[in-house]
Amino acid sequence: MGLDDNLAQEVGQNTANDAITVTDLHKSFGTLEVLKGVSLTARKGDVVAIIGGSGSGKSTLLRCINFLETPSSGKITVGGEDIEMRADGSPANRRQLERIRTRLAMVFQGFNLWTHRTLLENVIEVPVYVLKIPRAEAIRNAKVLLDRVGLGDKADTFPSFLSGGQQQRAAIARALAVDPSVMLFDEPTSALDPELVGEVLTVIRDLAAEGRTMLLVTHEMKFAREVASHIIYLYEGLIEEQGPPDEVFGNPKSPRLQQFLKTVGW
Amino acid sequence: MELLSLSPPGWGGNLLRGLVNSLQIAFGAFGLGLVIGLFGAYGKLYGGVVIRDLLGIYTTVIRAVPELVLILILYYVGTDLINKAAEAMGYGRVEISGVVAGIWVLGIVQGAYSTEVLRGAIQAVPKGQMEAARAYGMPALLVMRRVTIPAMMSFAVPGLANLWLIATKDTALLAIVGFSELTLETKQAAASTRAYFTFFLAAGALYLIVTLLSGVVFGRIEKWARRGQPSLRAGQSR
Ligand SMILES: Nc1ncnc2c1ncn2[C@@H]1O[C@H](COP(=O)(O)OP(=O)(O)O)[C@@H](O)[C@H]1O
Ligand SMILES: [Mg+2]
């Protein structure tokens, strides 16, 4: 691990073996029901890949987990701790939610690096201002992480001067800087030119290999099969089929999944 | 030329004192306007219906009524209200400092324009910037301080630079309520000496210098605010 072990202990105090559990999650936008009761569990070290057609609710699922979207109903449990919700699904305890969010690091399709800050500043931002880690220590960690994603020489560069692949790798370094207990990837390579996809997948593959827990929404089927411990196929807001990669990809049972795999050229 | 000399019988000292007063008020009003504008912008974007409606009335009315009229209204109504309040609480009439009154009056005017400039700038920040901050556990105020405000600066600075220049020139309108800023000092000097041309030319030059210097300062600020963005002119690409 490229990070201080102290940090790991400070941030992830969970003792339960389940890193994250989603229970019967529903989400509607107005009258449109996008998630119709999704449940899933990722144990520590699991890599759960979520696949499905466009509009099937994959992003909404990830965004409900850290309450970027307010779920309509259901339950999110992180490291054995339920996120407190009101009856309407809105978070009941801001501070708890903020604390839990620091353990769920999200990597966005569009990177969402802070454009007015250098890569180094992006990576130390949350450690320094949210986790209150001493700046010098945060900088030391950040340099290790930027080195690790191959951007050690770009620490003082602003994001808009970099390629999409570099920006996404920096965003992954930012995510690692909080030593998250779960990483949430929402199509991390979909906005990239084809020749830049590989460099980002390489970084994610390394993280999977070192035992990072992650939920990974992706259209890269080959990659999903290779790194995931579990595949979930989402169809119109419900889990249509799930299982180990070899079964889901090698022997899909649902006709919809078969159709889906065909359309993505599996 | 000795008319402009800094010590009496020259009137240069008076002009400079007037300029300092003008700048003081402009600075205060601009700052107050920024504070009002920030709350106003957030209120308009995220406030409830009542707050949005009230702010809508505020910005519409202020921007619709001529500034001279607003200054008269705010100045006389404002001082009147303060005195009534002071009397009600058992104090005598209070002497209201011209600088403070000027800052309040112009600040309220500036606030309406700032609200619109900052609202537009906040809306121009890509949503993902704030979303990333929230996703990493930043509380709302921290998101505002560390992400929204710095990120919107590059969009806000040109509009704010204009507002600052308007603030410096609006101070001249305070002459009408007898506040001795640059324009009133100039008028008095000119009237006493009958050298109208000399003094108004001098005052015009002072306003021009303020504008030019402001341009330099805001240019620097804008460059700093845009530091994360590839320069358009240099055609810098990824
Ligand atoms: N903020 C929103 N408001 C209304 N509808 C939304 C919103 N976000 C997503 N949706 C709708 O929810 C459905 C699922 O979207 P999404 O979760 O982004 O799908 P996916 O990521 O699988 O492509 C789509 O029909 C989309 O139009
Ligand atoms: Mg999506």
Side-chain angles (χ1 to χ4, degrees), chain A residues 29 32 34 52-61 69 186-187 217:
Chain A
F29 291 106
L32 176 70
V34 174
S54 165
S56 57
K58 306 179 298 294
S59 297
T60 306
L61 170 58
E69 300 288 356
D186 189 2
E187 299 197 32
V217 172

Side-chain angles (χ1 to χ4, degrees), chain B residues 66-85:
Chain B
E67 261 134 71
L68 192 58
V69 178
L70 280 175
I71 285 167
L72 288 170
I73 295 175
L74 288 173
Y75 185 79
Y76 288 114
V77 172
T79 47
D80 200 41
L81 281 180
I82 289 171
N83 274 316
K84 286 230 173 80

Side-chain angles (χ1 to χ4, degrees), chain B residues 16-92:
Chain B
L16 282 187
R17 258 195 305 284
L19 176 67
V20 168
N21 278 337
S22 286
L23 288 179
Q24 226 178 340
I25 291 186
F27 206 77
F30 181 69
L32 178 60
L34 277 183
V35 173
I36 296 176
L38 199 57
F39 281 101
Y42 268 91
K44 273 202 166 186
L45 289 172
Y46 306 108
V49 188
V50 180
I51 290 184
R52 283 210 303 269
D53 283 352
L54 286 177
L55 286 167
I57 294 170
Y58 165 61
T59 53
T60 310
V61 168
I62 297 279
R63 294 189 301 165
V65 178
E67 261 134 71
L68 192 58
V69 178
L70 280 175
I71 285 167
L72 288 170
I73 295 175
L74 288 173
Y75 185 79
Y76 288 114
V77 172
T79 47
D80 200 41
L81 281 180
I82 289 171
N83 274 316
K84 286 230 173 80
E87 272 164 33
M89 290 188 301
Y91 300 101

Side-chain angles (χ1 to χ4, degrees), chain A residues 111 162-169 172 188-204 220, chain B residues 238:
Chain A
F111 329 131
L162 298 172
S163 74
Q166 290 171 316
Q167 289 190 55
Q168 194 60 298
R169 284 185 279 140
I172 293 173
T189 59
S190 295
L192 299 179
D193 293 337
E195 74 270 21
L196 302 177
V197 169
E199 64 190 56
V200 172
L201 293 185
T202 303
V203 172
I204 300 176
E220 302 282 337
Chain B
R238 326 190 130 221

Side-chain angles (χ1 to χ4, degrees), chain A:
Chain A
M1 276 217 322
L3 260 184
D4 236 341
D5 286 333
N6 288 338
L7 179 60
Q9 275 161 10
E10 265 171 41
V11 177
Q13 319 107 331
N14 50 328
T15 47
N17 221 357
D18 290 347
I20 191 159
T21 305
V22 175
T23 313
D24 198 25
L25 186 67
H26 290 254
K27 170 66 183 177
S28 302
F29 291 106
T31 55
L32 176 70
E33 194 175 24
V34 174
L35 297 177
K36 303 170 180 165
V38 173
S39 301
L40 64 87
T41 295
R43 295 156 64 82
K44 271 190 198 149
D46 279 356
V47 176
V48 177
I50 300 162
I51 60 173
S54 165
S56 57
K58 306 179 298 294
S59 297
T60 306
L61 170 58
L62 279 199
R63 294 165 56 82
C64 280
I65 286 174
N66 61 10
F67 278 67
L68 284 181
E69 300 288 356
T70 305
S72 303
S73 68
K75 199 169 73 176
I76 310 291
T77 313
V78 178
E81 183 179 359
D82 292 349
I83 298 183
E84 295 171 37
M85 283 165 77
R86 296 213 184 82
D88 65 352
S90 63
N93 181 344
R94 277 272 144 210
R95 311 207 99 186
Q96 184 216 25
L97 175 61
E98 280 154 11
R99 179 167 50 77
I100 288 179
R101 275 174 170 169
T102 64
R103 289 154 55 188
L104 304 172
M106 191 169 231
V107 176
F108 301 85
Q109 184 174 349
F111 329 131
N112 293 355
L113 289 168
W114 295 301
T115 51
H116 55 289
R117 303 198 186 286
T118 63
L119 293 198
L120 185 76
E121 288 167 344
N122 266 276
V123 177
I124 66 170
E125 181 71 16
V126 179
V128 171
Y129 291 91
V130 181
L131 300 177
K132 314 278 195 230
I133 290 170
R135 194 180 187 87
E137 188 185 333
I139 290 177
R140 246 181 293 124
N141 286 338
K143 287 191 168 151
V144 172
L145 291 172
L146 284 171
D147 266 340
R148 174 167 181 190
V149 299
L151 292 169
D153 56 334
K154 302 282 188 206
D156 297 323
T157 308
F158 287 96
S160 355
F161 294 90
L162 298 172
S163 74
Q166 290 171 316
Q167 289 190 55
Q168 194 60 298
R169 284 185 279 140
I172 293 173
R174 172 175 71 177
L176 291 172
V178 300
D179 194 21
S181 35
V182 180
M183 299 183 80
L184 309 172
F185 288 88
D186 189 2
E187 299 197 32
T189 59
S190 295
L192 299 179
D193 293 337
E195 74 270 21
L196 302 177
V197 169
E199 64 190 56
V200 172
L201 293 185
T202 303
V203 172
I204 300 176
R205 188 181 289 116
D206 277 0
L207 294 174
E210 77 170 29
R212 286 273 169 195
T213 312
M214 33 182 133
L215 301 187
L216 169 68
V217 172
T218 185
H219 281 302
E220 302 282 337
M221 296 303 149
K222 238 179 80 204
F223 182 68
R225 179 170 195 168
E226 174 198 339
V227 302
S229 48
H230 192 80
I231 307 283
I232 286 178
Y233 170 60
L234 212 56
Y235 180 82
E236 291 187 357
L238 280 171
I239 296 181
E240 168 88 5
E241 184 164 344
Q242 60 179 319
D246 287 342
E247 271 175 40
V248 170
F249 287 110
N251 183 20
K253 291 175 192 64
S254 145
R256 283 168 182 155
L257 175 55
Q258 291 166 5
Q259 180 60 36
F260 171 72
L261 291 176
K262 215 174 287 166
T263 57
V264 297
W266 177 250

